[in-house]
Amino acid sequence: MATRISRAELAARLAADIPDGAVVNLGIGAPTLVADHVPSDREIILHTENGMLRMGPAPDAAHVDPDLINAGKQAVTELPGASYFNQSESFGMMRGGHLDYCVLGGFEVSATGDLANWSTGEPGAIPAVGGAMDLALGAKQVFVMMDLFTKDGRPKLVAHCAYPLTARGSVSRVYTDHAVFEIAPEGVAVVDAFGDTTVAELEGLLGLPLIDRTTPTGG
Amino acid sequence: MATRISRAELAARLAADIPDGAVVNLGIGAPTLVADHVPSDREIILHTENGMLRMGPAPDAAHVDPDLINAGKQAVTELPGASYFNQSESFGMMRGGHLDYCVLGGFEVSATGDLANWSTGEPGAIPAVGGAMDLALGAKQVFVMMDLFTKDGRPKLVAHCAYPLTARGSVSRVYTDHAVFEIAPEGVAVVDAFGDTTVAELEGLLGLPLIDRTTPTGG
Amino acid sequence: MIDKVVEDIDAAIADIHDGATVMIGGFGRAGQPVDLIDALLRHGAGDLTIVSNNAGNGDVGLAALLQAGKVRKMICSFPRQNDSWVFDGLYRAGEIELELVPQGNLVERIRAAGAGIPAFYSPTGVGTLLYEGVETREFGGREYVLVEALHADFALIQGYRADRLGNVQYRKTARNFGPPMATAATTTIVQVDEVVPVGDLDAESIPTPGIFVDRVVPVGWREWTPDGRYVGGLVDVNGQPVETGIDPHEGHTKATDHKPSGTEGTR
Amino acid sequence: MIDKVVEDIDAAIADIHDGATVMIGGFGRAGQPVDLIDALLRHGAGDLTIVSNNAGNGDVGLAALLQAGKVRKMICSFPRQNDSWVFDGLYRAGEIELELVPQGNLVERIRAAGAGIPAFYSPTGVGTLLYEGVETREFGGREYVLVEALHADFALIQGYRADRLGNVQYRKTARNFGPPMATAATTTIVQVDEVVPVGDLDAESIPTPGIFVDRVVPVGWREWTPDGRYVGGLVDVNGQPVETGIDPHEGHTKATDHKPSGTEGTR
């Protein structure tokens, strides 16, 4: 199972699943790459939970406006048709189920869609949660984008999360460097395995029963 | 006890108790008269619960704007420094205790400040509450402006309300054609008795123990 | 490309089904989406539950829908008005169900539904007939009633201007129930005087961002909206028809001289 | 006449007492009321409980207040940032108490306090460490946690423009916590770039109406506010100081060329 795709390829793979017109919140880190890979014929509206819809890309250095930032506190721009609102309204949009998609990073995802992405539970760490728990419930579809294995080879898609939970049963899909998984009521399904990766291999490595929903590609 | 003051005199008496800078909601009916009697050296901000602060007086007939009305659904105007907001924000202002004064009409007020002003409980009537229950809790000071007696002579300031309640224990003062009452923790106090009316007379007519807090006027 | 503009008002409301719960914006006549209500009446869906502050004025709009027998239940705060004879008649005849909710609790229930809050505690109504038997709880020594969120299948709202993304602005006190209702329905349909190109609306001043709006229906300027001054001269300060003796059009551009220009959204 | 403008920033915050609960607006640096925080530090009140989304950046503003040992407890959602070394040090040394609240629940608690809602149910945090032992309840088959309102004695907020009545407008994403916090404190103090005459602010675009504001403190335009384009050239996209090699002032009016004009509110 040598096949892994790059972060950029994965972002493009995920972006392809977001339809025209969707309202999307991209979490801090790798998920922000998705914005760069939206097909040019699709109009996607980006939400940032610090209070804006229709966020644009980063400005050039001469146009940085400290009053205009994203949830990662990076400078961004405003596209035509943007709107600003307060934090209460912004989190109401999420909690009320108005966002179509939310793309988050993850430490672990369980077979039932539990997400752990806010705390490693290390005793020395400064705890911080921000909008993670709200975001994890904050869209009709919650996509997690992460490596399938830790650097030392442990699976991050697991039967039960070991890290402290962010939310229970909220993840709909998991996009990884090896495969794309769907968390379905009947179990975890593989919808796309990259390159020469097989569902049987993934089952062995993850130690999880997997449903094969890959679409055979021609050739 | 022949002395009664007119609606306009009563409105002026009440207006005199509202200090410069107060934010005030005037209920439908007689309370709206208060606006016409605010001393000219005071700046009072009128709130209307359908979504506006700094409401101005009625326009002339050629300037009626159907999008600009008060809670009584009458045409009003906008003063400089006005703001518009939605109903949720407007009732949040009231329930959150941000208004300084609210002036309401009343069917009955009890000695402990219960207010009945939304329903006579008649079987045939169409029930309607509107913002009455919110308004009755919706200010730091809730003033009721009403005749002290019904047309057939029954007191409207009573030991216990007979009509269905609007709110419990919310009224701070009662402005009537005969006297001004304060609902204090220790009981009902008369703060102003008009003309030749005496506290003893009022006690007899109302059948309520009254505390005399009238200020003797010179003469 | 996103384009929420639906020019055909009948098409815009065609999926409102029998038995639907429909929120209708407006406080009195201000903000009442009369064109959408007329279309709903033409459409013919019945057995409706209507959530609206009032229960119709005169014989038009919501009152006409009630008169046609399309409404099973009203959820409102103030059905009794000086011109609510249609509702009054149905109610006295026992032909309509009424759920009476204090106005602040009504709008907060709507706001809660839109914000993913299933229930909250309110001081309003404690100890009154309207909350007899309802669960109460003390916080900080004061008593509150438990109030649940109120969702709808559809919201019909009157806005002033919108763009093809569904960003909506309102006009003066006609804003009233529009923003909270827009958040609380599965499908939100907004009639507006005018659709403007994307970018024309000030991003700092969008009470209803497009995320809450499914369809925008331009219905043309009302008599008073082009210059913000009513040029019909047809209502008095109580909203009742009158003859004022003043020529209301003097010094004003006639509404019909303005036609909403072709918009970026509908080209 | 109402005049909420206080020119002397030290006078504006002088009644903040030891042990007070103080909300401080802002998300990261955007909307952080740095001048008010500096004044609070000069003032010297201690044993404070601070409610703010973050726990300070660098060595200025809230971080400086923390460094000076004035804060007993932080209520926030995200204290850990790449430049939050002051808080980090205090926390590791056990010198500060932390109440960690998910951001959406934090702001909804603030909004609830301002709107007279003592408590509400939220889906956020169910089944997590942060809500262990907290009361839960089912609505419609889903589980929610009970969350209580969060009040403060004072709110310190950064606005953009205001009038003497206390109407406040914000600028872009610096709006963030300003409007809800303004509603939730006994005393709300807003620093603004500029005080404008009453009537200059569009009545349709007032995120914080004057009813919520006690004092307005004009502090002068920030480098970028006169023309909406940052002319300092001092921060990168991460908000960190950089040398860009670009002359940021080229083609721009220098901030110091603009002085807030005499205003109706302060004449």
Side-chain angles (χ1 to χ4, degrees):
Chain A
M1 199 174 85
T3 309
R4 288 179 59 193
I5 65 172
S6 69
R7 276 278 164 89
E9 287 170 305
L10 183 58
R13 173 64 188 79
L14 193 157
D17 285 351
I18 296 181
D20 190 30
V23 182
V24 183
N25 184 300
L26 300 175
I28 298 171
T32 59
L33 294 174
V34 172
D36 302 331
H37 293 90
V38 173
S40 59
D41 61 340
R42 294 189 199 167
E43 196 171 43
I44 301 295
I45 297 206
L46 294 183
H47 171 264
T48 181
E49 66 264 31
N50 53 317
M52 181 186 191
L53 277 164
R54 201 115 154 116
M55 178 174 69
D60 63 65
H63 290 80
V64 168
D65 182 337
D67 287 341
L68 182 47
I69 61 173
N70 66 13
K73 300 174 181 105
Q74 297 172 308
V76 293
T77 50
E78 171 188 317
L79 296 178
S83 54
Y84 297 103
F85 33 83
N86 73 49
Q87 292 275 301
S88 163
E89 295 166 315
S90 186
F91 280 80
M93 286 177 192
M94 295 198 284
R95 206 176 36 232
H98 301 285
L99 269 69
D100 297 307
Y101 295 87
C102 182
V103 183
L104 300 172
F107 298 155
E108 283 177 331
V109 176
S110 85
T112 55
D114 293 351
L115 172 66
N117 77 345
W118 76 279
S119 167
T120 56
E122 271 176 61
I126 308 288
V129 64
M133 292 184 180
D134 306 277
L135 282 161
L137 302 166
K140 290 166 196 141
Q141 299 281 323
V142 174
F143 288 176
V144 170
M145 182 176 170
M146 65 180 191
D147 288 340
L148 187 53
F149 300 98
T150 63
K151 279 176 194 156
D152 49 355
R154 286 178 296 114
K156 296 173 70 177
L157 180 59
V158 295
H160 302 283
C161 293
Y163 288 130
L165 285 192
T166 306
R168 289 196 311 217
S170 69
V171 177
S172 27
R173 281 186 163 221
V174 186
Y175 289 79
T176 75
D177 45 352
H178 294 283
V180 178
F181 302 88
E182 184 164 351
I183 310 292
E186 60 276 15
V188 180
V190 181
V191 294
D192 202 354
F194 301 135
D196 59 7
T197 304
T198 67
V199 174
E201 271 179 313
L202 290 167
E203 267 194 331
L205 285 163
L206 298 177
L208 284 177
L210 296 173
I211 302 161
D212 187 347
R213 291 208 183 130
T214 56
T215 315
T217 45
Chain B
M1 199 174 87
T3 309
R4 290 180 57 194
I5 64 172
S6 69
R7 277 277 165 90
E9 288 170 305
L10 183 58
R13 173 65 189 79
L14 193 158
D17 284 351
I18 296 181
D20 189 31
V23 183
V24 183
N25 185 299
L26 300 175
I28 298 171
T32 59
L33 294 174
V34 172
D36 302 330
H37 294 90
V38 173
S40 59
D41 60 340
R42 294 189 198 165
E43 197 171 42
I44 302 296
I45 297 206
L46 294 184
H47 171 265
T48 181
E49 65 265 30
N50 53 317
M52 181 186 192
L53 277 164
R54 201 116 154 115
M55 178 175 68
D60 62 66
H63 290 81
V64 167
D65 183 337
D67 287 341
L68 182 47
I69 61 173
N70 66 14
K73 297 169 182 114
Q74 297 171 308
V76 293
T77 49
E78 171 189 316
L79 296 178
S83 53
Y84 297 102
F85 34 83
N86 72 48
Q87 292 276 300
S88 163
E89 295 166 315
S90 186
F91 280 80
M93 287 176 192
M94 296 199 282
R95 207 175 36 232
H98 301 283
L99 268 69
D100 297 307
Y101 295 87
C102 182
V103 184
L104 301 172
F107 297 156
E108 283 177 330
V109 175
S110 85
T112 55
D114 294 351
L115 172 66
N117 76 346
W118 75 279
S119 167
T120 57
E122 272 175 61
I126 309 287
V129 64
M133 291 184 180
D134 306 277
L135 282 162
L137 302 167
K140 290 166 195 138
Q141 299 282 322
V142 174
F143 288 176
V144 170
M145 183 177 169
M146 65 180 190
D147 287 338
L148 187 53
F149 302 96
T150 62
K151 280 177 194 157
D152 49 356
R154 285 179 295 113
K156 296 172 70 178
L157 181 58
V158 295
H160 302 283
C161 293
Y163 289 130
L165 285 193
T166 306
R168 289 196 311 216
S170 68
V171 177
S172 27
R173 283 187 163 220
V174 186
Y175 289 79
T176 75
D177 45 352
H178 294 284
V180 179
F181 302 88
E182 184 164 349
I183 310 292
E186 59 277 16
V188 180
V190 181
V191 294
D192 202 353
F194 302 135
D196 58 6
T197 305
T198 66
V199 173
E201 271 179 314
L202 290 167
E203 268 194 329
L205 286 163
L206 298 176
L208 285 177
L210 297 174
I211 302 162
D212 187 348
R213 289 204 183 133
T214 56
T215 315
T217 46
Chain C
M1 197 186 79
I2 302 165
D3 189 357
K4 298 183 178 177
V5 177
V6 179
E7 296 281 349
D8 179 347
I9 195 166
D10 292 297
I13 56 90
D15 57 347
I16 300 183
H17 51 274
D18 285 350
T21 295
V22 183
M23 289 179 177
I24 297 184
F27 178 87
R29 291 167 193 265
Q32 198 176 126
V34 288
D35 302 271
L36 289 171
I37 300 169
D38 288 350
L40 176 55
L41 182 56
R42 287 194 297 276
H43 172 54
D47 197 29
L48 302 172
T49 295
I50 299 291
V51 180
S52 192
N53 191 61
N54 305 111
N57 305 77
D59 295 300
V60 299
L62 178 51
L65 194 69
L66 290 163
Q67 184 68 71
K70 301 300 186 187
V71 181
R72 185 178 62 78
K73 180 180 180 181
M74 281 293 318
I75 302 178
C76 69
S77 88
F78 206 79
R80 184 186 66 225
Q81 300 172 94
N82 57 5
D83 58 352
S84 61
W85 50 79
V86 173
F87 176 84
D88 297 8
L90 291 168
Y91 183 78
R92 287 184 210 281
E95 288 170 12
I96 196 161
E97 195 182 330
L98 171 66
E99 180 179 340
L100 193 70
V101 185
Q103 195 172 334
N105 285 357
L106 179 64
V107 72
E108 188 70 12
R109 291 176 65 188
I110 295 168
R111 187 259 173 202
I117 303 293
F120 59 91
Y121 291 92
S122 171
T124 303
V126 172
T128 71
L129 269 180
L130 296 184
Y131 288 90
E132 267 182 3
V134 171
E135 182 177 334
T136 65
R137 182 162 176 162
E138 272 197 19
F139 294 91
R142 192 177 172 192
E143 198 178 353
Y144 296 86
V145 289
L146 178 67
V147 180
E148 293 198 26
L150 181 59
H151 291 267
D153 300 308
F154 295 87
L156 306 182
I157 290 165
Q158 185 206 78
Y160 178 35
R161 293 188 299 188
D163 63 25
R164 67 171 170 81
L165 302 175
N167 292 308
V168 178
Q169 291 180 333
Y170 301 86
R171 191 166 172 276
K172 302 184 186 279
T173 57
R175 185 184 304 195
N176 58 64
F177 282 85
M181 284 184 174
T183 71
T186 307
T187 302
T188 293
I189 309 168
V190 184
Q191 70 167 72
V192 292
D193 294 13
E194 192 186 9
V195 173
V196 300
V198 167
D200 273 18
L201 302 177
D202 177 5
E204 300 281 5
S205 188
I206 312 283
T208 295
I211 189 172
F212 297 121
V213 174
D214 297 281
R215 297 167 205 155
V216 168
V217 185
V219 297
W221 280 324
R222 290 160 296 154
E223 284 283 316
W224 60 87
T225 46
D227 58 4
R229 183 173 159 188
Y230 186 50
V231 294
L234 295 174
V235 295
D236 67 10
V237 292
N238 294 307
Q240 300 303 317
V242 286
E243 273 306 318
T244 61
I246 297 164
D247 176 5
H249 293 85
E250 196 181 340
H252 293 278
T253 320
K254 271 193 69 174
T256 46
D257 296 344
H258 299 268
K259 280 286 289 183
S261 51
T263 64
E264 193 252 19
T266 55
R267 264 201 299 263
Chain D
M1 199 185 81
I2 302 165
D3 189 357
K4 298 183 178 176
V5 178
V6 179
E7 296 282 349
D8 179 347
I9 196 166
D10 292 297
I13 57 88
D15 57 347
I16 300 184
H17 51 275
D18 286 350
T21 295
V22 182
M23 290 180 176
I24 297 184
F27 178 87
R29 290 167 193 266
Q32 198 176 126
V34 288
D35 302 271
L36 288 172
I37 300 168
D38 288 349
L40 177 56
L41 182 56
R42 287 194 298 275
H43 172 52
D47 196 29
L48 302 172
T49 295
I50 299 291
V51 180
S52 193
N53 191 60
N54 305 112
N57 305 78
D59 295 301
V60 298
L62 178 51
L65 195 68
L66 289 163
Q67 185 68 71
K70 300 301 186 186
V71 182
R72 185 178 63 77
K73 180 180 179 180
M74 280 294 317
I75 302 178
C76 69
S77 88
F78 207 79
R80 185 186 65 225
Q81 301 172 92
N82 56 5
D83 58 352
S84 61
W85 51 80
V86 174
F87 176 84
D88 296 8
L90 291 169
Y91 184 78
R92 286 184 210 281
E95 288 170 10
I96 195 162
E97 194 181 332
L98 170 66
E99 180 179 339
L100 193 70
V101 185
Q103 195 171 336
N105 284 357
L106 178 65
V107 72
E108 188 69 11
R109 292 176 65 187
I110 295 167
R111 187 260 174 201
I117 302 293
F120 59 92
Y121 290 91
S122 171
T124 302
V126 171
T128 71
L129 269 181
L130 295 184
Y131 288 89
E132 267 183 3
V134 171
E135 182 178 334
T136 63
R137 182 162 176 162
E138 272 197 19
F139 294 92
R142 191 175 171 194
E143 198 178 353
Y144 297 86
V145 288
L146 178 67
V147 180
E148 293 199 27
L150 181 59
H151 291 267
D153 300 308
F154 295 87
L156 305 183
I157 290 166
Q158 185 205 79
Y160 178 35
R161 294 187 300 188
D163 62 25
R164 66 172 171 81
L165 302 176
N167 292 308
V168 177
Q169 291 180 332
Y170 302 85
R171 192 166 171 274
K172 302 183 186 279
T173 57
R175 186 184 305 195
N176 58 62
F177 281 87
M181 284 185 174
T183 70
T186 307
T187 302
T188 293
I189 308 168
V190 185
Q191 70 168 72
V192 292
D193 294 13
E194 192 187 8
V195 172
V196 300
V198 167
D200 273 19
L201 303 177
D202 177 5
E204 299 281 5
S205 187
I206 311 283
T208 295
I211 189 172
F212 297 121
V213 174
D214 297 282
R215 296 167 206 155
V216 168
V217 185
V219 297
W221 280 325
R222 291 161 295 154
E223 284 283 316
W224 60 89
T225 45
D227 57 5
R229 181 172 161 191
Y230 186 50
V231 294
L234 295 173
V235 295
D236 67 9
V237 291
N238 295 307
Q240 300 303 317
V242 286
E243 273 306 318
T244 61
I246 298 165
D247 176 4
H249 294 84
E250 195 180 341
H252 292 278
T253 319
K254 268 192 72 173
T256 46
D257 296 343
H258 299 269
K259 280 286 288 184
S261 50
T263 63
E264 193 253 19
T266 56
R267 263 201 298 264

